[in-house]
Amino acid sequence: MRFFPPLASVTLLSLLHAATFFPAGAHATPSRTSERPPSNQFDPPAPPRRQIEPARRPWTRLRDSLSQRIFRAPGDAGPEGAGRARPLRGDGRPAAEAPADLLARYGGDVVLRFNVSSVDEAKSLAEASNILFLDVWEFRDDWVDIRLSKDVVPSLLGLLPASLQHAHTPLMHDLAQAIYESYPSPALADLRPHSISRHAFGPALRSSAESTDNIFFRDYQPLSVIVPWMRLLRSLFPTHVRLFNVGISYEGRDIPALRLGVRPASSQEQPGRRKTIVVTGGSHAREWIGTSTVNYIAYMLITSYGKSAPVTRLLEEFDWVFVPTINPDGYVYSWENDRLWRKNRQQTSLRFCRGVDLDRGWGFQWDGEGAPGNPCSESYPGEEPFAAVESRRLAEWARDEVEQHGADIVGFLDLHSYSQQVLFPYSYSCSSSPPLLENLEELALGLAKAIRLSRGEHYSVTSACEGSVGQGAKGKRKQLHPRMETGGGSALDWFSHELGVRYAYQIKLRDTGSYGFLLPKENIVPTGEEAFAAIQHFGRFLLSGSSGAEAEEEAAAASGDEAPVEPLTKHATTVVELWHESAEGAPEGGMCCELKRRKRR
């Protein structure tokens, strides 16, 4: 089998250049899929005719045209680019522009962090948040982040005990400015072809310092850019990339997904019987970093195939399904109207309160320990299990894959933000434990370690239930703090219990509260690198019958390399140094205990 030719792609413009000089010609057999073909939304539009300068080479025209049309990069200041406008939305504004009413909507809001130290404090804060219908951003064992209007702060403090009157600090002094900065930069003049280093188009396998910037991951991207980008990847890498729809959203949008995988010609595996790992993001519309990270992982696996032996093996042994956002309606709404929108856009029993929380409406243990029944709540689970259309579509697709097409879903990773945690089942109850708990904990610790060695960030590891409640001491026993929201009906629990996925996790990405859901775009690539390191460890763990540490050694021995695949903005030698440093002793903070070897059951 001949692998796909190496591409000098750390920028998507590099891919466009490579597509001209390296046409798809690999002999690997694409993994068979059972999904229905995408709808007309994915069919590329016919490019309009326009005058072209005869001096420009064909591949240059292709590269410039695709980059400008797909990513809306402005043209040169010369005659050819003069007067070229950005695509408009339905309301006439450019597609990636911040809403005009941003200051009016958020100018009077503030995000407060309350430090919680007792069960009574947690209970009173939860009750007050429900009474005032406040937007609880995140909560851990000793703090709770809440967004509210400055005018509502006195009312909230009036419902809290004296110990919480001064136990809070503002996280963001200018929420509206932080929201504005999360949208793409209005000027992308540096995307013009003459401003890109020619080293970005060299044939070298390793990227140079000048070519580590990637156009697509410079900013968060709207759905109108993500879909053409996915379509482009399918076109450039047909040997191991397929594009399909998981289903249709409430408002009629496709839920796009990429399937990566190759079945070698020498494989004796039975057709249709394929181990599959599902990676999802964007359940909550405002968590843009989850969507961009799913895209980053997919991009790195796609472009590393044939260049990295460990990654190539992962694509030969598994099918990887990436769903950047299972909530396309909410995601679009967060771009065009309300940046901090969380739910989908489904109509509820109250006309003025739309939306169902996609991660609280799944069929297993729906309603958990008592969900709020008010449709205006940010965590409203719907009137019945799977009331949310998008959750139902994903569940139907997953069941169809397993029951009708023989797929073996062995892994599920659901990316969220924020708080930097690796969570395993169950979410609905702290008193129940999933099967093979020790193996789940072992792999979760390995994922957190891979993240720490990649970028130095510390992710805590616990069950999804214990990660969302505090633990106060009562004598010698621990007493759990009340929940800020229900934990029932989660996708994590459904995939683990109902579908029998052995390794199911929810990963809450950066950060720990400095920016919350408004993580600056400079964190897109670093967060992606962390997640990609975790994904590689995840795949190696499933391939190996040994512990995570042994899996790393086997992967290095098999590839002959000193380090994993090089990330976009980091040289491989740095990763090697981190791996050597880890042998001397791990810093405290992220993982409090050493990863022990356990015998597999």
Side-chain angles (χ1 to χ4, degrees), residues 261-281:
V262 171
R263 183 173 288 116
S266 59
S267 176
Q268 301 298 320
E269 186 179 3
Q270 292 296 324
R273 190 62 186 175
R274 183 78 165 171
K275 292 183 178 180
T276 303
I277 298 171
V278 179
V279 183
T280 64

Side-chain angles (χ1 to χ4, degrees), residues 142-295:
D142 56 352
W143 53 260
V144 178
D145 294 345
I146 300 177
R147 177 179 71 93
L148 71 167
S149 171
K150 295 176 184 178
D151 297 335
V152 181
V153 173
S155 300
L156 173 61
L157 296 179
L159 297 174
L160 300 179
S163 58
L164 287 177
Q165 296 294 319
H166 303 287
H168 57 84
T169 56
L171 289 183
M172 282 177 245
H173 295 284
D174 194 340
L175 182 62
Q177 181 65 27
I179 291 175
Y180 178 80
E181 292 176 353
S182 69
Y183 284 85
S185 304
L188 299 175
D190 54 341
L191 298 187
R192 298 180 214 158
H194 71 262
S195 67
I196 300 175
S197 171
R198 63 182 182 87
H199 297 290
F201 304 107
L205 175 61
R206 297 289 184 183
S207 60
S208 63
E210 295 88 352
S211 63
T212 55
D213 198 8
N214 186 289
I215 294 172
F216 185 78
F217 297 107
R218 286 185 193 176
D219 289 297
Y220 295 107
Q221 303 295 348
L223 191 65
S224 59
V225 172
I226 292 175
V227 171
W229 178 80
M230 296 170 72
R231 185 172 63 231
L232 181 62
L233 291 178
R234 176 197 61 181
S235 300
L236 292 178
F237 303 95
T239 58
H240 53 289
V241 178
R242 297 210 173 203
L243 177 64
F244 70 98
N245 295 326
V246 170
I248 305 297
S249 70
Y250 173 79
E251 293 183 341
R253 292 182 175 89
D254 289 321
I255 305 175
L258 289 174
R259 181 188 288 267
L260 317 183
V262 171
R263 183 173 288 116
S266 59
S267 176
Q268 301 298 320
E269 186 179 3
Q270 292 296 324
R273 190 62 186 175
R274 183 78 165 171
K275 292 183 178 180
T276 303
I277 298 171
V278 179
V279 183
T280 64
S283 295
H284 297 144
R286 61 191 176 188
E287 297 173 7
W288 288 4
I289 189 62
T291 296
S292 67
T293 302
V294 172
N295 289 331

Side-chain angles (χ1 to χ4, degrees), residues 327 330 341-346 354-356 358 388-390:
N327 183 11
W341 186 260
R342 169 185 167 104
K343 302 180 286 184
N344 70 358
R345 293 294 299 162
Q346 193 166 329
R354 298 174 67 100
V356 176
L358 265 60
V389 171
E390 294 81 6

